[in-house]
Amino acid sequence: MAIGSTDLTSSELRGMDDDKLVDELRKAKEELFNLRFQSATGQLDNHGRLRAVRKDIARIYTEMRERELGIGSAPAKSEA
């Protein structure tokens, strides 16, 4: 893990509903874009963060695909 990263663990992702996963994916892709931009302009301090964010995106895609195939399931919604 990169120092100071907020890496998402697989157990955290399993606890999220589908909408939250999509939102996390959007935020991670946006962060990756910003990190790539910083890297291209020579302003990136922590190059390990690029790898950490790419892994987070892969974890999110994996969880989404598992749910699509029926291997994993979204948490049950509590109706009050």
Side-chain angles (χ1 to χ4, degrees):
M1 279 196 235
I3 296 173
S5 71
T6 57
D7 291 344
L8 297 170
T9 62
S10 296
S11 59
E12 288 175 352
L13 292 174
R14 287 187 189 104
M16 294 180 184
D17 62 352
D18 293 338
D19 294 333
K20 181 76 173 157
L21 273 179
V22 171
D23 186 47
E24 286 294 324
L25 179 63
R26 184 194 52 78
K27 288 192 294 189
K29 283 187 170 189
E30 185 175 318
E31 182 179 359
L32 182 61
F33 173 80
N34 290 332
L35 288 171
R36 284 181 176 161
F37 194 88
Q38 289 176 5
S39 179
T41 59
Q43 298 175 355
L44 185 61
D45 295 329
N46 186 359
H47 293 281
R49 186 69 188 136
L50 276 168
R51 184 176 183 194
V53 172
R54 283 198 317 264
K55 284 188 172 192
D56 284 345
I57 291 171
R59 283 188 193 102
I60 293 169
Y61 274 132
T62 299
E63 181 62 29
M64 292 170 75
R65 182 66 177 155
E66 284 178 355
R67 290 180 186 184
E68 183 180 315
L69 295 175
I71 299 169
S73 62
K77 292 184 181 180
S78 59
E79 296 182 27

